[in-house]
Amino acid sequence: MTDSAGPPLPYEQLVFSGGGIRCFWHGGWIETVTAGRALKPARVIGVSGGALSGAAWLAGRERTLLDVMSEAFSRETSNVTWHDLEGENGLTPHQRVYRSVVEEVLDQAAQARIAEGPAFQVFLGRPPEGALSDLAALLGGSAYELEKRLFARGTSDWSVKFGLTGERIDARAAAKEGRLVDLVAAAATIPPVFSIPDWEGAPVIDGGMVDQTPFPDPDEGRTLVLSTRSYSDLPHASERDFVEPSEPVLDQKIDFTDPAKLEEAWRLGQEDGATWLAAHRGG
């Protein structure tokens, strides 16, 4: 999180939505906007890849995240490998690569800074516990994807019917305990590609399968929501400002082989941030 010489933006809450590598749009947008206006929310929440966006911003590591992820992608030649099919970290390189990037970016110094910063929550998805937990996670995730494609909904009603729920986790406390890497990595778990981890003794999955724009708890004050795509049913209210890309960000949100896509998302975020900043200089 960086300071700016400009007057602070009037937001008490900041929401980072999910979206896979589309979340690098977040980085370009917020880097540009905070170069011209200070942004100092009391509460921050992130879901899915937005959990990493939020953590990187709070730690002042946005550019580090871009560099480290780009370097990791440059080493991958395929989104499916025999090595990963036989491993314990999911069926593809994604979980392994993502975890390694999170570990490098959110090191001990980064976690210490987050621990001393504003309230920070990560929104996790919770499949029902029991013998059918993995199946419920898979079916709920499939229902979410279908509902999103058909209706462009940010909050999934269909996944909830399969027993998926959402939970807000105190990420600042996790940082103080040195567990933020585990939390942020768990927040991006997509079944069946990723192996489903536990958090506090119960399975967790990508919270975006439940809600792509969750609000902090408590939900108080003017809120800025950074979405990575357009949704048809965002929960608009007088105290909520939604920002979304001016054009679709990337066609494949989980392609881990092309660093240029990260730069593409970042540049669009910069362009959109400059446009937004110009329109909001006085308010």
Side-chain angles (χ1 to χ4, degrees):
M1 183 169 56
T2 57
D3 293 329
S4 169
L9 289 162
Y11 295 107
E12 296 165 83
Q13 303 188 141
L14 179 60
V15 177
F16 289 89
S17 70
I21 61 174
R22 294 185 186 125
C23 291
F24 280 84
W25 178 87
H26 290 148
W29 192 93
I30 205 164
E31 177 187 67
T32 301
V33 168
T34 56
R37 299 284 299 272
L39 180 57
K40 298 180 178 181
R43 289 171 295 283
V44 178
I45 188 169
V47 59
S48 188
L52 180 54
S53 295
W57 178 66
L58 288 167
R61 299 285 180 91
E62 307 101 304
R63 276 282 173 177
T64 300
L65 173 58
L66 177 62
D67 293 341
V68 172
M69 189 75 85
S70 296
E71 176 61 26
F73 281 18
S74 70
R75 296 192 295 267
E76 299 298 320
T77 59
S78 175
N79 285 301
V80 180
T81 70
W82 286 112
H83 170 75
D84 290 292
L85 286 172
E86 297 173 349
E88 298 180 352
N89 294 317
L91 302 177
T92 69
H94 297 82
Q95 194 165 18
R96 167 178 54 81
V97 172
Y98 196 80
R99 171 81 189 204
S100 68
V101 169
V102 174
E103 287 178 343
E104 184 170 349
V105 174
L106 300 182
D107 60 13
Q108 187 174 4
Q111 292 194 55
R113 181 167 176 177
I114 291 169
E116 297 303 319
F120 179 35
Q121 296 172 335
V122 167
F123 186 78
L124 298 179
R126 290 281 197 186
E129 296 185 55
L132 299 180
S133 178
D134 287 1
L135 178 60
L138 175 59
L139 294 176
S142 299
Y144 152 75
E145 286 291 345
L146 180 60
E147 184 180 17
K148 182 178 68 174
R149 292 180 184 278
L150 291 176
F151 303 108
R153 290 174 179 158
T155 301
S156 177
D157 295 327
W158 292 6
S159 67
V160 173
K161 295 182 185 301
F162 287 95
L164 271 60
T165 58
E167 182 179 355
R168 290 159 180 81
I169 305 297
D170 186 343
R172 188 168 57 180
K176 291 178 181 177
E177 297 164 0
R179 299 197 298 156
L180 187 61
V181 168
D182 291 338
L183 178 60
V184 170
T189 300
I190 307 171
V193 178
F194 288 16
S195 297
I196 298 178
D198 282 359
W199 183 263
E200 301 293 353
V204 294
I205 58 173
D206 190 320
M209 296 179 182
V210 179
D211 192 347
Q212 283 287 359
T213 57
F215 295 92
D217 182 19
D219 180 10
E220 300 172 347
R222 191 168 176 184
T223 305
L224 178 64
V225 182
L226 303 183
S227 177
T228 60
R229 58 167 291 170
S230 297
Y231 291 105
S232 63
D233 66 341
L234 292 173
H236 289 281
S238 59
E239 289 276 289
R240 296 173 180 171
D241 291 343
F242 290 83
V243 180
E244 58 189 36
S246 58
E247 59 187 67
V249 184
L250 309 179
D251 55 351
Q252 295 182 11
K253 67 177 183 179
I254 56 171
D255 180 2
F256 276 25
T257 65
D258 187 357
K261 291 186 175 181
L262 305 180
E263 293 282 356
E264 178 184 342
W266 191 279
R267 283 195 299 271
L268 180 60
Q270 289 177 314
E271 294 170 7
D272 291 343
T275 300
W276 188 92
L277 186 60
H280 292 78
R281 289 199 180 277

